[in-house]
Amino acid sequence: MVPPGRVGGGQPSFGVLGGDRPVRRLLPLAAGVLTGVLALAGCSGGGGSSDSAPGPSSAGSGATGSSSAGSGGTGSVSPAPTPSRATQAPSPEERACYRLSYAQAVAPTTAAHSVPCGRSHTSMTFAVGRLAAVVDGHLLAVDSRRVQQQVATTCPRRLTSYVGGTADDLRLSMLRSVWFTPTVAQSDAGQDWFRCDVIAVAADGRLAPLAPRMAGVLGTSQGQDRFGMCGTAEPGAADFARVVCSRPHSWRAVQVVHLTGGSYPGTAAARDAGQGPCQDAGRAAAADTLDFRWGYQWPTRQQWADGQHYGLCWVPD
């Protein structure tokens, strides 16, 4: 079976936050920290980093810097049956809403019933499709890596076009895609659908309520503000945690720093690449351009391997 706990973002692996790995899991949070100060003509800084990543998280960026200026196996294969009309259960409905817990949202299957979208809900189906499970005349198991990879790639890719805005707007938000497939028993009975849902991660292990209408939400300043990625403290601080911006916070992710190259550039290069752009972002957000603060999170080696080839700039908010 593919392990539970998968979230994709329209970016590399999350999840989780940062990149989005095409598997059922959340991406790790940032791992290292760089701090510094620039006030008037003075500047000082320090740094730290780590290529190890903490456990599952809501965002999936990587190492952190801040500064102030002033799964599953291959599955079984069997001959492809020809399901009768009676075994073809109806597909899930698009635009259906659900009141899911975090654990339910990251499970590979679900039996939850929909609720009216005008009521409080934490998950909304934005796409439904059919599994391509027949290969060379044989039916792959629904929990095989090949079948699950199809869904884990498709749902995050479709999320950006549904919620609107740009790919970077999605990376700077706490909106993520989760996906569901039939159970093995349901698949054996002929069900071959997959379902893509959008969720908003409120904090680690918790979901935030969604808006009654999520289509195009990141194409608006109100949606970007409500579902943006914020922090409870300065990036790298012991009490720093990523939260959705509708919750109490003191920092906000404001810019994506794109890194290039096929192989991991190394901690120092990944860290240094964001200092100029993030310092500029901090200056632009500050009331005093000679005394301001900023933060930067860069990907760890593992997050780079998962597909996250960018960092995030943070400013006080």
Side-chain angles (χ1 to χ4, degrees):
M1 291 290 291
V2 176
R6 75 285 177 278
V7 171
Q11 64 263 64
S13 162
F14 169 331
V16 179
L17 287 189
D20 285 348
R21 167 185 297 187
V23 293
R24 282 193 146 82
R25 55 164 295 182
L26 290 173
L27 291 186
L29 266 178
V33 180
L34 172 69
T35 59
V37 176
L38 172 64
L40 300 178
C43 176
S44 65
S49 64
S50 171
D51 281 337
S52 62
S57 85
S58 56
S61 74
T64 309
S66 66
S67 175
S68 39
S71 280
T74 58
S76 60
V77 179
S78 59
T82 303
S84 67
R85 185 178 299 273
T87 62
Q88 286 291 345
S91 299
E93 294 184 3
E94 292 191 15
R95 309 300 183 264
C97 297
Y98 300 85
R99 190 178 295 115
L100 302 181
S101 67
Y102 184 90
Q104 289 175 315
V106 299
T109 63
T110 180
H113 296 290
S114 63
V115 299
C117 293
R119 297 182 183 177
S120 177
H121 60 283
T122 56
S123 180
M124 175 182 288
T125 301
F126 65 89
V128 173
R130 293 290 177 185
L131 298 171
V134 178
V135 178
D136 296 330
H138 290 82
L139 181 67
L140 300 180
V142 69
D143 58 345
S144 67
R145 177 175 295 276
R146 180 163 180 166
V147 172
Q148 292 295 324
Q149 183 85 0
Q150 173 199 354
V151 188
T153 302
T154 300
C155 291
R157 186 175 65 242
R158 292 185 181 181
L159 182 59
T160 301
S161 61
Y162 176 69
V163 297
T166 65
D168 282 355
D169 289 332
L170 184 57
R171 291 176 176 130
L172 293 170
S173 81
M174 296 296 272
L175 296 182
R176 297 293 179 262
S177 61
V178 294
W179 45 93
F180 304 97
T181 59
T183 64
V184 173
Q186 290 170 335
S187 176
D188 289 344
Q191 299 186 34
D192 62 353
W193 51 264
F194 67 85
R195 169 181 139 194
C196 307
D197 282 22
V198 58
I199 61 170
V201 181
D204 282 350
R206 300 188 63 180
L207 299 184
L210 298 181
R213 176 180 170 82
M214 294 297 294
V217 69
L218 289 186
T220 69
S221 57
Q222 296 90 339
Q224 292 174 9
D225 187 64
R226 174 175 176 177
F227 295 110
M229 180 188 299
C230 286
T232 55
E234 178 180 341
D239 55 345
F240 170 82
R242 294 189 188 188
V243 296
V244 70
C245 290
S246 57
R247 293 171 65 102
H249 63 274
S250 57
W251 284 70
R252 179 185 296 264
V254 295
Q255 184 173 326
V256 175
V257 177
H258 296 276
L259 306 176
T260 60
S263 59
Y264 186 61
T267 298
R271 178 189 62 215
D272 294 346
Q275 295 193 61
C278 293
Q279 181 173 327
D280 290 343
R283 180 182 294 109
D288 186 344
T289 59
L290 296 178
D291 186 1
F292 57 94
R293 305 169 68 194
W294 53 272
Y296 174 55
Q297 292 183 309
W298 59 92
T300 63
R301 185 178 299 277
Q302 181 59 57
Q303 290 165 338
W304 184 276
D306 290 343
Q308 183 185 324
H309 296 177
Y310 61 86
L312 297 174
C313 298
W314 293 75
V315 301
D317 188 47

